Amino acid sequence: MLKKGIIIQGSANSKGNTNKAVVYFKDKTGFDFIDLKCKDIAPFDYEFKNKYDDFLPLIKDIAQQYEVIVFATPVYWYSMSGILKNFFDRISDCLMIEKETGRQFRGKKIGVISSSSDGQPIEGFEMPFRESANYLGMEYLGSAHTWVEEKELTIKAKERLTWLSEVTME
Ligand SMILES: Cc1cc2nc3c(=O)[nH]c(=O)nc-3n(C[C@H](O)[C@H](O)[C@H](O)COP(=O)(O)O)c2cc1C
């Protein structure tokens, strides 16, 4: 029996603004949580010399256990964080040396939490998530863009996270 969901946080700050949104979302959903900053995940390597780092055990675990995956990332230079992009690049391992795991992603669902300096969603920010979901045979549920003012998540950010919690729990 698959567990409902997991939040995969990829921020350079484990307890920063992205994490504020994650904590709010986790409280609503009860989803499990992984902080990629605490994992040893090297960039993609065509020779797979990195295959004994934390990526393969982690991705196998996620594939076997969860129905919904929510990626949480700050906006760094109009894009997802480098930590999360490394994780996405390594999903290519699942198309090359770990195909059985790659196939297990079909039918699962993806959501996104983003955090930037203001409330304006970044044009094109969702595209890599939506298209990657599409490529892997997954369903893209949408994103909640958040920001923090005076160290607090804004009301609008909380509303967006509540919406995402509802669609991911359906
Ligand atoms: C390296 C870096 C790049 C950033 N680039 C952007 C950007 O392109 N657009 C934006 O609105 N904010 C940008 N910011 C601000 C962060 O998105 C924002 O402070 C976010 O809430 C940080 O989340 P964190 O505490 O989890 O890192 C950037 C911050 C950093 C450190």
Side-chain angles (χ1 to χ4, degrees), residues 11-13 16-19 74-78 115-118 122:
S11 170
N13 186 350
N17 293 343
T18 305
N19 187 250
V75 175
Y76 291 161
W77 290 98
Y78 314 97
S115 171
S116 82
S117 37
D118 61 33
I122 307 287

Side-chain angles (χ1 to χ4, degrees), residues 49-65:
K49 287 182 182 157
N50 52 21
K51 69 179 173 189
Y52 297 112
D53 71 10
D54 290 340
F55 179 76
L56 288 176
L58 178 61
I59 200 77
K60 282 186 205 173
D61 222 44
I62 294 167
Q64 282 163 14
Q65 289 200 61

Side-chain angles (χ1 to χ4, degrees), residues 8 10 31 54 81 88 101 154:
I8 301 180
F31 284 8
D54 290 340
S81 68
F88 264 84
T101 300
T154 59

Side-chain angles (χ1 to χ4, degrees), residues 50-110:
N50 52 21
K51 69 179 173 189
Y52 297 112
D53 71 10
D54 290 340
F55 179 76
L56 288 176
L58 178 61
I59 200 77
K60 282 186 205 173
D61 222 44
I62 294 167
Q64 282 163 14
Q65 289 200 61
Y66 298 98
E67 189 187 331
V68 181
I69 303 167
V70 175
F71 293 102
T73 176
V75 175
Y76 291 161
W77 290 98
Y78 314 97
S79 315
M80 72 176 84
S81 68
I83 293 175
L84 186 57
K85 182 59 164 57
N86 267 351
F87 182 90
F88 264 84
D89 287 357
R90 289 294 297 280
I91 293 175
S92 298
D93 290 11
C94 299
L95 309 174
M96 296 172 176
I97 55 167
E98 197 49 56
K99 291 186 186 174
E100 184 47 42
T101 300
R103 280 191 278 273
Q104 286 178 294
F105 282 93
R106 285 185 203 146
K108 294 186 194 286
K109 297 171 183 178
I110 287 183

Side-chain angles (χ1 to χ4, degrees), residues 5-27:
I6 185 153
I7 307 157
I8 301 180
Q9 177 178 297
S11 170
N13 186 350
S14 291
K15 298 277 180 205
N17 293 343
T18 305
N19 187 250
K20 286 192 165 77
V22 164
V23 167
Y24 188 85
F25 183 82
K26 189 176 181 323
D27 197 46

